[in-house]
Amino acid sequence: MPAQVDLHMHTTASDGRLTPPELVRLLARNGLRFVAITDHDSTEGLAAAQEEALAHPGLELIPGVELGADIPEGDVHILGYFIDLESEELQTTLQDFRGGRDERGRRMVERLAEIGLAVEWSRVEELAQGGAIARPHIAQALVERGHVETMQEAFNKYLGKGCPAYVSRSKLSPEDAIRLILRFGGLPVLAHPARYVKNLHTYLPSFVEAGLVGMEVYYKDYTVEEVAWLQRLCHRYELIPCGGSDYHANGSADEVAPGSVGPPLASITRLKALLS
Ligand code: AMP
Ligand code: MN
Ligand code: MN
Ligand code: MN
């Protein structure tokens, strides 16, 4: 049976390629019951998504966002569900993050030019369609210009951490990202921990102390062993098992269909219980 819940997906409000209404229609067609759109540093797609969701009564759209944070070993992503979209302070904060993405994207394009891989910044902006700029937009521009065959190659050779065109951007600590989501009424959940957070067990106590409520146990291409390990960790730290496809509609080799992976319905009940 396909999943009924998918709590991690992107739209043109960040690095996804479907508009929010297009994604919602696809999810309704696939018979999903609870879904969350979690664009990077943006909730700009949620109003249009919500409007489309009204036309599909069997589908409930949970407002979400994905924030980037830094640890010494790399990146940590924190999802925030049911965050207060109306908060001006939240929106100003997200705008600042998007400004940082813009600045960093421009610097990456400069670095690419220095190593002989010209792409136009204006094209990167066009590909982002007004959404939060992210490395996949630059990767797509590199593919278009014939500098690489695939987005994956662009990441492996040029855009990944430690590669020649990589530029970091200033990010929050994971604990600050967790507290930020809590401050705006949201529920903070650790995204895709198995691959990104090498020493997860050393970090989790501090994340939980900061207010983390859940962790992605079900994700895109996790193995049975990874799922079992994360389930045990959720149990130990009393975290709600969450997850989803991290769908971007960008046709990358590791992409899975939206709604093909997600947590059980019981996780929705547990998340909602924390709101009351
Ligand atoms: P950014 O937020 O600009 O750092 O870009 C990160 C985004 O790039 C992630 O959300 C993924 O969508 C994508 N991404 C990260 N690493 C890779 C990779 N190795 N291959 C393809 N896409 C990636
Ligand atoms: Mn992304
Ligand atoms: Mn992520
Ligand atoms: Mn994501």
Side-chain angles (χ1 to χ4, degrees):
M1 195 176 75
Q4 295 185 296
V5 183
D6 187 334
L7 300 180
H8 190 158
M9 286 173 280
H10 296 268
T11 73
T12 48
S14 65
D15 53 356
R17 294 202 196 164
L18 296 185
T19 64
E22 283 169 345
L23 179 59
V24 168
R25 281 195 288 276
L26 177 59
L27 297 169
R29 239 189 350 264
N30 289 354
L32 272 285
R33 288 182 58 190
F34 294 93
V35 299
I37 289 177
T38 52
D39 278 304
H40 301 288
D41 297 336
S42 177
T43 63
E44 299 284 314
L46 293 177
Q50 203 62 262
E51 195 178 319
E52 179 63 36
L54 292 176
H56 309 279
L59 181 76
E60 182 174 329
L61 178 70
I62 292 168
V65 69
E66 182 172 14
L67 303 181
D70 269 331
I71 53 170
E73 294 96 318
D75 271 349
V76 169
H77 294 181
I78 307 287
L79 300 161
Y81 297 118
F82 300 105
I83 202 159
D84 174 16
L85 308 177
E86 306 297 319
S87 159
E88 259 180 54
E89 198 188 339
L90 170 69
Q91 294 305 335
T92 308
T93 305
L94 293 178
Q95 261 164 25
D96 284 349
F97 292 163
R98 295 200 292 274
R101 286 179 163 279
D102 201 278
E103 184 56 36
R104 178 264 205 141
R106 287 172 194 269
R107 288 176 56 206
M108 289 186 71
V109 165
E110 280 167 21
R111 289 256 181 115
L112 286 167
E114 283 163 21
I115 56 173
L117 303 171
V119 297
E120 277 75 44
W121 174 250
S122 59
R123 183 60 189 149
V124 174
E125 280 186 316
E126 250 170 51
L127 291 169
Q129 300 182 58
I133 302 238
R135 281 178 288 167
H137 299 122
I138 303 176
Q140 197 181 348
L142 282 166
V143 173
E144 279 185 358
R145 282 298 224 104
H147 295 308
V148 289
E149 295 272 325
T150 61
M151 303 222 320
Q152 192 57 53
E153 186 187 347
F155 271 89
N156 291 346
K157 287 189 179 163
Y158 307 115
L159 307 180
K161 199 161 191 168
C163 294
Y166 179 79
V167 175
S168 62
R169 60 191 178 90
S170 60
K171 285 183 244 151
L172 305 165
S173 71
E175 289 83 357
D176 282 345
I178 289 165
R179 286 188 281 263
L180 187 84
I181 289 164
L182 288 170
R183 185 145 62 88
F184 298 111
L187 301 178
V189 167
L190 180 61
H192 43 64
R195 307 283 164 77
Y196 282 56
V197 192
K198 293 279 178 283
N199 300 307
L200 185 57
H201 59 283
T202 64
Y203 285 101
L204 269 185
S206 164
F207 294 178
V208 170
E209 172 76 25
L212 192 75
V213 307
M215 173 163 81
E216 285 194 318
V217 168
Y218 308 92
Y219 182 73
K220 199 155 66 174
D221 52 359
Y222 276 4
T223 62
V224 172
E225 290 77 21
E226 282 171 320
V227 170
W229 165 57
L230 294 168
Q231 272 169 339
R232 283 197 300 278
L233 280 176
C234 272
H235 208 252
R236 186 180 319 156
Y237 291 99
E238 294 180 40
L239 292 168
I240 301 172
C242 295
S245 60
D246 206 355
Y247 183 65
H248 286 71
N250 62 16
S252 66
D254 62 344
E255 187 148 88
V256 301
S260 60
V261 55
L265 285 172
S267 292
I268 298 292
T269 312
R270 286 179 68 186
L271 287 170
K272 286 188 172 180
L274 292 176
L275 294 174
S276 48

